[in-house]
Amino acid sequence: MNNLNRIVIFGATSAIAEHTARQLVQNGASVYCIGRNTNKLNRIIADLKVRSVNNQVVDGINADLADTAQHPILIEQAIKSLGGLDAVLIAYGTLPDQRACEADAELTQKEIQINALSVINLLTLLANYFETQGKGVIATISSVAGDRGRQSNYVYGAAKGMVSLFLQGLRNRLMAKGVSVVTIKPGFVDSPMTADFDKSGPLWVKPEVIATGIIKAMQKGKNEVYLPWFWWGIMQIIKHIPEAIFKRLSL
Ligand SMILES: NC(=O)c1ccc[n+]([C@@H]2O[C@H](COP(=O)([O-])OP(=O)(O)OC[C@H]3O[C@@H](n4cnc5c(N)ncnc54)[C@H](OP(=O)(O)O)[C@@H]3O)[C@@H](O)[C@H]2O)c1
């Protein structure tokens, strides 16, 4: 797949990541999957091997990505297994219980650590690898929730907002080095993360829809994509509501 021949996925057990990996493998890409849940990871790797079309590499390793000390080793293993890297997708995350975080500062820190700081740790290491190589695609799943703080999920939103801003700066740094930095901002996705939500509205989409959008954005080296596209318009409106009004809304 031209610029996506050898790709490592951090958080490969995510529903969005799994569908992205399937589409990549079916198009002949080699994929290295890093995920926390051993059984799920093994099942996904076995399934991807069956779907592979080219005898390409489909491999992976189990890891808790909150453990940032392991990040350099994981990157090295991915490079070794794939024989180099063309692209990376960072897909893992948690959806914090906002109310529980309000009552527990330590839990808030833990959620910010996994959703923002550990991602930034990986991005820092990967950016240097791709900068030295002089090409590559770095894609990270952020969220529309990172565009504006809301009472119902501002711990998650703050973490995603930090990641989006970090990616913006990284893109600015790496543009001249031939490296694309892609920010993925999905809206409402029907995945295990949102298992407890009412998904009856028209804004909900399946993870495979997001997967197709991620691959297109990575192939084109896009800067930032809202998935599906209509979230761009929704977030333009939400971002432009004056704070004096926004703070009175129950969002
Ligand atoms: N679903 C949505 O509506 C939505 C909207 C916007 C953005 N997103 C973002 O999209 C990404 C993928 O989420 P999803 O919708 O596909 O949900 P998901 O299926 O629940 O995926 C989340 C994944 O993150 C993994 N993870 C969490 N903590 C980890 C850790 N410490 N180490 C390694 N892996 C860890 C989970 O692993 P385990 O299987 O071990 O728990 C799980 O596989 C996330 O970044 C999420 O924030 C989702």
Side-chain angles (χ1 to χ4, degrees):
M1 288 183 90
N2 44 59
N3 62 340
L4 306 181
N5 283 326
R6 296 165 300 177
I7 176 164
V8 54
I9 302 181
F10 290 88
T13 54
S14 114
I16 295 174
E18 181 179 1
H19 283 278
T20 309
R22 279 187 194 175
Q23 294 182 25
L24 286 164
V25 160
Q26 280 161 350
N27 283 306
S30 292
V31 177
Y32 194 79
C33 298
I34 303 176
R36 177 173 60 177
N37 179 322
T38 314
N39 289 339
K40 214 165 155 186
L41 183 71
N42 290 342
R43 183 202 38 87
I44 288 170
I45 292 174
D47 175 71
L48 291 175
K49 282 185 174 160
V50 172
R51 290 170 192 271
S52 70
V53 290
N54 236 350
N55 257 340
Q56 70 262 41
V57 179
V58 176
D59 202 354
I61 193 166
N62 179 244
D64 183 340
L65 295 164
D67 183 2
T68 53
Q70 294 302 312
H71 288 180
I73 301 158
L74 295 172
I75 294 169
E76 245 174 63
Q77 277 167 334
I79 293 168
K80 202 170 153 199
S81 173
L82 295 172
L85 277 187
D86 300 312
V88 55
L89 173 65
I90 301 180
Y92 65 94
T94 57
L95 187 60
D97 178 334
Q98 172 64 32
R99 281 299 170 97
C101 286
E102 287 166 20
D104 184 344
E106 243 178 67
L107 178 62
T108 298
Q109 280 209 37
K110 196 174 157 225
E111 295 292 355
I112 299 278
Q113 159 65 23
I114 191 63
N115 285 305
L117 299 179
S118 76
V119 173
I120 284 171
N121 193 72
L122 269 178
L123 285 169
T124 301
L125 298 167
L126 289 160
N128 294 336
Y129 171 82
F130 284 111
E131 184 177 42
T132 306
Q133 179 168 271
K135 61 178 179 176
V137 182
I138 300 174
T140 306
I141 307 183
S142 182
S143 171
V144 295
D147 278 9
R148 190 147 196 185
R150 293 184 294 121
Q151 62 169 319
S152 58
N153 74 344
Y154 63 81
V155 173
Y156 178 71
K160 292 298 195 183
M162 195 193 307
V163 168
S164 294
L165 206 60
F166 188 91
L167 289 167
Q168 199 174 37
L170 195 60
R171 178 179 309 119
N172 196 200
R173 169 184 149 200
L174 294 181
M175 201 274 305
K177 306 288 168 64
V179 181
S180 302
V181 177
V182 188
T183 307
I184 311 288
K185 293 184 175 178
F188 298 152
V189 189
D190 181 1
S191 75
M193 181 173 276
T194 52
D196 298 334
F197 287 58
D198 169 17
K199 295 172 182 162
S200 51
L203 297 178
W204 286 90
V205 296
K206 296 281 176 199
E208 45 268 50
V209 173
I210 305 298
T212 303
I214 289 174
I215 293 173
K216 272 192 195 148
M218 291 179 77
Q219 282 174 326
K220 291 183 180 164
K222 291 267 188 191
N223 300 324
E224 179 180 87
V225 285
Y226 287 84
L227 295 176
W229 60 271
F230 53 73
W231 280 98
W232 180 85
I234 294 172
M235 294 319 295
Q236 287 306 306
I237 295 166
I238 290 179
K239 281 194 287 187
H240 286 94
I241 298 172
E243 189 64 13
I245 296 171
F246 197 80
K247 72 177 180 185
R248 292 185 163 81
L249 304 176
S250 293
L251 294 168

